[in-house]
Amino acid sequence: RVHLVLHLATMPCMNVHTKEVSAQIRDQITKVSRCMFNAGLFGIFHGSISGRISQEKFVVNRRNAILDSVDESALMLLDINYDYRYNDASMDAYIHAEIYESFSEAKFIVFAAPPAVVAFSLKNTTLNPSDYFGFIGLSQSVPILDPKDYETWEERANVDIVRFLKQSQQEFVIIRGYGIYAFGRDLTYVAKLIALIEHSCHIIALSQPLDLNVDDDKRFGV
């Protein structure tokens, strides 16, 4: 009996909030989250990642999870209807819930705030990819959602984001000064989509001439 007690005491604790989540989905989330973190698409605490478990349930990272090491203990299972568990889940969880409820094709959702995208969105109302991969993989003109009032954005975000996604009929939305929400049936596809948007914004930034407040014909004069 003593040996049994000691054995149980040393066993790893099961996360009761993820017992319904398959190992396959947990492994996908862990792998993609680490990859996005290493690529600079996630910050230490900026970003969130989730997967649908059923029509009414999804798993998402916890509020203080560091996104390069999202293991079972860093995940939570939530219902689409809000309850007390949202207090410990990612602050983006209620937006994930709204997207899952509104789009049956959403199997995975990612929010990221990569710097080139955020910087580009501050000075532009549309993204017009000038590189080949962005032009082919995105669209000739991608509208950017303007949250307008940052002070009330958190209260409006879930409704405004879903409305914009429905109007644009795209699987992602770029939000001025905030980041990207993207969803899809395949998590790798969603991650690649966000990486493609960041790449296109970075290429545009690198291709812009340095503004020295002089005319173009004099800028390179000797």
Side-chain angles (χ1 to χ4, degrees):
R1 183 177 300 175
V2 173
H3 290 297
L4 177 59
V5 171
L6 290 175
H7 174 68
L8 292 174
T10 57
M11 289 179 63
C13 296
M14 177 180 292
N15 183 355
V16 296
H17 294 297
T18 59
K19 62 182 180 180
E20 298 178 41
V21 183
S22 70
Q24 180 183 11
I25 290 180
R26 290 200 306 266
D27 290 346
Q28 286 184 68
I29 289 175
T30 297
K31 179 180 178 180
V32 170
S33 182
R34 182 181 296 116
C35 179
M36 293 185 66
F37 184 94
N38 291 337
L41 301 174
F42 278 159
I44 295 179
F45 295 111
H46 287 88
S48 53
I49 185 168
S50 69
R52 189 196 290 270
I53 305 305
S54 68
Q55 191 65 27
E56 300 295 328
K57 296 179 182 293
F58 66 98
V59 62
V60 68
N61 60 281
R62 289 179 177 271
R63 187 172 295 263
N64 293 321
I66 298 178
L67 295 169
D68 73 331
S69 56
V70 178
D71 57 13
E72 182 179 358
S73 65
L75 296 173
M76 289 197 68
L77 185 65
L78 300 178
D79 292 328
I80 287 179
N81 296 321
Y82 306 160
D83 59 28
Y84 71 95
R85 289 172 295 176
Y86 277 74
N87 294 328
D88 295 324
S90 166
M91 61 183 297
D92 309 318
Y94 71 104
I95 301 177
H96 288 243
E98 196 76 25
I99 295 174
Y100 283 127
E101 189 170 23
S102 302
F103 298 93
S104 60
E105 64 271 31
K107 176 67 175 176
F108 295 96
I109 299 171
V110 175
F111 166 69
V117 173
V118 175
F120 179 87
S121 70
L122 291 173
K123 294 188 176 182
N124 297 274
T125 58
T126 60
L127 168 61
N128 301 297
S130 56
D131 65 294
Y132 171 82
F133 295 106
F135 183 85
I136 297 298
L138 297 174
S139 174
Q140 295 184 26
S141 182
V142 179
I144 295 174
L145 171 61
D146 186 356
K148 297 180 180 178
D149 180 7
Y150 285 161
E151 292 182 356
T152 63
W153 171 242
E154 187 174 348
E155 302 168 7
R156 300 178 286 107
N158 56 340
V159 175
D160 287 1
I161 288 171
V162 166
R163 183 190 299 119
F164 195 87
L165 286 168
K166 288 180 177 179
Q167 291 174 348
S168 67
Q169 297 184 330
Q170 293 180 325
E171 296 173 316
F172 68 92
V173 54
I174 303 172
I175 305 156
R176 181 180 183 273
Y178 188 75
I180 309 168
Y181 269 94
F183 68 87
R185 296 185 180 276
D186 180 80
L187 184 53
T188 302
Y189 164 80
V190 177
K192 288 181 177 179
L193 179 59
I194 291 176
L196 181 60
I197 297 169
E198 170 73 351
H199 178 75
S200 290
C201 289
H202 194 198
I203 291 296
I204 291 173
L206 291 174
S207 67
Q208 296 298 316
L210 184 63
D211 185 5
L212 300 177
N213 294 319
V214 296
D215 295 337
D216 286 343
D217 58 348
K218 298 179 181 177
R219 184 174 300 170
F220 303 108
V222 177

